[in-house]
Amino acid sequence: MKLSAGGIELECERSVGGDPTVLFLHGWGGDITSFAAAAGDAAAWGASCVRLAFPPVVPSNFGIYDYAACVKEAIKILGLRRLAIVGHSFGGRVALLLAAEGLCEKLVLAAAAGMKPRPSIKRAIKIARYKSAKKHGKPLDGFGSVDYNNLGDGMREVFVRVVNTHLEKVLPYVTCPTLLYWGRSDRDTPPYMAKRLCRGIAGSRLVLTDGGHFAYLQNRFGFAEELKKFVLD
């Protein structure tokens, strides 16, 4: 099904079970299938599950707070209660903002983005080259990530705005029980970001496992077991 929330159309898959309801939010470039396996596992132990998919194109003035506002409205439209939110990467950014507003009882962050990267010479050189190319009107393809280079101009603006919005300041407002699930070999959101999140969210717990940025898929059954214990506790 599709629903209109905050001026954009979200794709939605919903399975009705018992309490709690688990809301899954995928990463940038993902879709409604990204959490299909995890939702199936959660439904098997009796939870109600909702998967929301963000559209590939939104207004060029959008930022992470606009995405969060859309999901907040979707939660209201769907009448979701007793909510546990699971967010991967970009979806973790959105989940953090929703949790900071008290919209969930439990929060699961799987390789969540939102923490400011550590400074490095390599990163500084890349940024300097990008700014120089942009200033002189040179093509910008090849300067950014794969996600960036796959986007049209309007969505590149959105992507850059989202990536440059760091969320350390919201962490003290996340007061619900929080589970962090991370791959030790994650290069997109390295484990130091997980540890920063863990320090910033009181009472949170970090599970480091084998795998990279998609450790929740690479270790499907391990993730399912952690999710079940955490959500049903």
Side-chain angles (χ1 to χ4, degrees):
M1 64 177 285
K2 294 184 182 294
L3 58 89
S4 179
I8 67 171
E9 192 173 75
L10 301 172
E11 190 175 358
C12 176
E13 289 286 345
R14 186 176 191 178
S15 63
V16 179
D19 288 335
T21 295
V22 186
L23 171 63
F24 294 92
L25 302 174
H26 64 75
W28 191 277
D31 57 31
I32 201 72
T33 67
S34 297
F35 272 115
D41 293 331
W45 42 261
S48 299
C49 296
V50 177
R51 288 178 283 142
L52 290 179
F54 302 102
V57 178
V58 296
S60 62
N61 63 348
F62 249 52
I64 192 61
Y65 291 93
D66 299 292
Y67 280 104
C70 292
V71 177
K72 181 179 179 180
E73 185 173 336
I75 290 171
K76 182 178 180 180
I77 292 170
L78 294 169
L80 303 183
R81 301 286 188 271
R82 298 285 317 278
L83 195 59
I85 300 180
V86 181
H88 171 247
S89 197
F90 165 78
R93 293 179 186 266
V94 176
L96 270 172
L97 293 176
L98 297 173
E101 287 196 45
L103 295 177
C104 59
E105 294 184 358
K106 293 188 177 182
L107 174 66
V108 179
L109 300 175
M115 298 296 97
K116 187 174 182 178
R118 286 174 176 169
S120 69
I121 294 176
K122 184 177 180 180
R123 177 177 170 79
I125 291 172
K126 283 184 177 180
I127 292 173
R129 287 177 175 171
Y130 171 83
K131 288 182 177 179
S132 176
K134 186 175 181 179
K135 180 180 178 180
H136 294 93
K138 295 181 179 180
L140 300 178
D141 290 342
F143 279 98
S145 65
V146 173
D147 284 334
Y148 175 86
N149 286 310
N150 285 338
L151 298 171
D153 290 341
M155 284 304 295
R156 284 184 176 184
E157 291 180 32
V158 174
F159 182 80
V160 170
R161 189 176 298 115
V162 167
V163 168
N164 288 328
T165 302
H166 306 303
L167 301 177
E168 281 86 354
K169 64 183 179 182
V170 310
L171 300 187
Y173 298 97
V174 179
T175 58
C176 62
T178 301
L179 172 68
L180 311 174
Y181 192 87
W182 235 267
R184 294 187 183 90
S185 303
D186 190 337
R187 294 185 178 181
D188 296 302
T189 52
Y192 73 79
M193 293 185 176
K195 293 174 183 177
R196 193 182 300 166
L197 281 162
C198 200
R199 290 193 299 268
I201 301 175
S204 59
R205 181 169 69 90
L206 170 60
V207 174
L208 277 174
T209 185
D210 293 337
H213 192 54
F214 292 87
Y216 79 94
L217 284 174
Q218 294 165 315
N219 302 295
R220 171 187 169 180
F221 298 112
F223 178 70
E225 187 60 28
E226 290 289 348
L227 182 63
K228 181 179 179 180
K229 287 190 296 185
F230 177 71
V231 170
L232 296 184
D233 184 19

